[in-house]
Amino acid sequence: MTVSPLIWGVTIAVILALLAFDYFFHIRKAHIPTLKEAAVWSSIYVGLAVIFGVIVFLFSGPTDGAEYFAGYITEKALSVDNLFVFLIIMASFRVPREDQQKVLLFGIVFALIARTGFIFLGAALINSFSWVFYIFGLILLITAGNLLKPEGEGDDDEANNFIIRLAKKVLPTTDHYDGDKLFTLENGKKVLTPMLLVMVAIGGTDLLFALDSIPAIFGLTQSTFIVFTATAFSLMGLRQLYFLIDGLLDRLIYLSYGLAAILAFIGVKLVLHALHENTLPFINGGEHVPVVEISTGLSLSVILGVLVITVIASLVSPAGKATAAVNNARRHAAAYQDLTYTSDPAERERVYTALCEEEKVIFTMDKKYRDKVKDIEAIRAEVAHAHEMHAKYINS
């Protein structure tokens, strides 16, 4: 696919304009987006991505169009998985609800910059060394295996990484937020707020995500333009999607299995392509290996099929419903107890009402599924404490 500098310039200008619009019209004034707002803007960004794919299909042909959609869907699925980690990081730093949008937009911008760098580096390596496909395939197969591993004990402390500990040790920091400011004055001295630290944590995880997502999309297309646009459009609207499916994330209990299957499939596709283009002297004497190559149409069908099966299985699973409900109750209870969570009384009342509604749903579920949820006793204690705090508030 040959793309003129003019098309590149227009595409980049449109993406930058969308990011600027997001900041000045939605992020600049801290607020908590409503479900309707999140749904409308998520639909708009998905619609823009689909329209762009149709344009690629019409002007560049069905192969490039299919490659774009396969790449976009894969990157979007990986982005949803990334939201789990963003959720843990922001919970660890207790980011006020009304300021979470700014953190997410920073994460999206940083991810776009980091992945653009990886995209052009990957394209340069592929053009110079065909054996890079072996490395990309191996990365994806290892990542798929890691997704199937059970969660470790340290998974709930994603924010407490080396960079954050170093920043807290070397630089003057405070544990208190000052709106969405990155710096504040404390005892007459300028110090870092947790807002800057959480952005560093988000940025660090974005770099790790790029190491998985870029090889994945290069396994579907070698067009730098398609790789860039599919990645960019998959990130656009991620902020709105976070607020739209917040609470549904815990419900997707089989998403990691689906992503593992997709990454393993693309990893195998890359290895097969590497064998087909082989130049390494210790494999088949440096000659191309006659192997079956997986078509773009088959790739798109497998990706869509796996995601549909994964999502449906998660949504209808009684264990998934119980896990989502209990974890939502825990999150609402923690938010209600944390007086730094938000300064908006209406939001605090909304959180407590949501907690009560979630409890009603939980009590209608089979007890055996409720009891299997991780840390269930600790969650019950946390919910009980939230009710005690609310009772004291009502009686005061």
Side-chain angles (χ1 to χ4, degrees):
M1 183 181 184
T2 303
V3 181
S4 68
L6 176 62
I7 298 298
W8 268 106
V10 171
T11 303
I12 293 172
V14 169
I15 291 170
L16 291 176
L18 288 172
L19 289 171
F21 175 83
D22 224 9
Y23 176 78
F24 287 105
F25 289 92
H26 292 122
I27 309 296
R28 202 170 185 182
K29 183 179 179 181
H31 73 287
I32 302 159
T34 63
L35 186 63
K36 180 181 178 181
E37 178 186 341
V40 168
W41 283 103
S42 291
S43 301
I44 289 173
Y45 280 112
V46 171
L48 289 173
V50 171
I51 290 171
F52 182 85
V54 171
I55 292 173
V56 171
F57 187 92
L58 293 175
F59 287 91
S60 189
T63 299
D64 287 333
E67 287 181 355
Y68 167 81
F69 280 112
Y72 171 75
I73 293 167
T74 300
E75 291 296 304
K76 198 69 173 179
L78 289 170
S79 296
V80 171
D81 192 49
N82 297 348
L83 290 181
F84 283 99
V85 181
F86 289 169
L87 188 65
I88 292 171
I89 290 174
M90 287 196 278
S92 299
F93 281 100
R94 296 183 176 181
V95 180
R97 182 75 166 171
E98 52 265 37
D99 294 323
Q100 289 180 3
Q101 292 197 92
K102 180 167 284 188
V103 174
L104 288 167
L105 184 61
F106 167 82
I108 291 168
V109 172
F110 189 89
L112 189 55
I113 294 171
R115 294 183 194 196
T116 299
F118 279 115
I119 286 168
F120 285 103
L121 175 61
L125 289 172
I126 288 170
N127 289 332
S128 302
F129 312 103
S130 61
W131 51 261
V132 169
F133 286 112
Y134 286 116
I135 297 176
F136 282 1
L138 184 61
I139 289 173
L140 294 184
L141 291 172
I142 293 173
T143 303
N146 288 334
L147 284 172
L148 297 177
K149 289 182 179 178
E151 294 182 357
E153 293 296 324
D155 289 345
D156 291 334
D157 197 21
E158 293 283 348
N160 192 25
N161 58 40
F162 172 75
I163 297 176
I164 300 302
R165 293 198 302 272
L166 183 64
K168 287 183 176 180
K169 189 174 182 179
V170 176
L171 301 172
T173 61
T174 177
D175 293 328
H176 306 291
Y177 286 92
D178 184 6
D180 57 6
K181 295 179 181 177
L182 304 181
F183 299 89
T184 188
L185 291 175
E186 192 174 77
N187 299 324
K189 298 173 70 174
K190 196 171 186 178
V191 295
L192 302 176
T193 69
M195 184 62 70
L196 182 58
L197 295 179
V198 73
M199 287 184 174
V200 171
I202 293 286
T205 56
D206 277 333
L207 287 175
L208 296 177
F209 293 150
L211 293 176
D212 298 334
S213 66
I214 297 307
I217 193 169
F218 269 118
L220 299 167
T221 177
Q222 280 80 64
S223 167
T224 306
F225 183 74
I226 292 178
V227 171
F228 173 75
T229 51
T231 301
F233 277 110
S234 73
L235 291 170
M236 305 300 294
L238 195 60
R239 173 185 63 80
Q240 294 87 347
L241 188 64
Y242 173 87
F243 289 94
L244 180 62
I245 67 175
D246 182 19
L248 182 62
L249 287 173
D250 290 315
R251 184 77 170 268
L252 302 176
I253 61 173
Y254 300 126
L255 180 62
S256 60
Y257 297 102
L259 290 176
I262 289 171
L263 292 181
F265 171 78
I266 298 174
V268 170
K269 184 177 187 289
L270 277 170
V271 172
L272 290 173
H273 182 73
L275 289 169
H276 188 268
E277 301 291 328
N278 179 62
T279 57
L280 295 179
F282 53 85
I283 298 177
N284 199 35
E287 298 296 325
H288 300 338
V289 181
V291 293
V292 176
E293 287 216 72
I294 299 171
S295 68
T296 302
L298 178 59
S299 298
L300 181 57
S301 300
V302 169
I303 291 166
L304 283 172
V306 170
L307 285 177
V308 168
I309 292 171
T310 299
V311 171
I312 292 175
S314 297
L315 294 179
V316 302
S317 165
K321 293 177 182 178
T323 300
V326 171
N327 282 320
N328 283 339
R330 176 190 59 187
R331 191 155 58 246
H332 294 321
Y336 187 83
Q337 294 172 75
D338 184 4
L339 298 179
T340 64
Y341 168 75
T342 180
S343 58
D344 186 350
E347 170 66 6
R348 187 162 297 283
E349 185 60 33
R350 183 195 71 80
V351 170
Y352 184 76
T353 302
L355 170 61
C356 295
E357 292 298 322
E358 205 69 62
E359 281 188 290
K360 291 178 183 177
V361 174
I362 292 171
F363 290 134
T364 65
M365 296 177 175
D366 194 315
K367 192 172 185 297
K368 69 178 181 181
Y369 295 118
R370 288 185 270 154
D371 291 344
K372 286 183 179 179
V373 177
K374 184 181 177 183
D375 299 327
I376 185 63
E377 293 304 326
I379 294 172
R380 284 169 176 159
E382 196 165 8
V383 170
H385 189 238
H387 285 300
E388 291 173 8
M389 284 186 64
H390 187 70
K392 289 179 181 178
Y393 172 75
I394 295 296
N395 296 324
S396 62

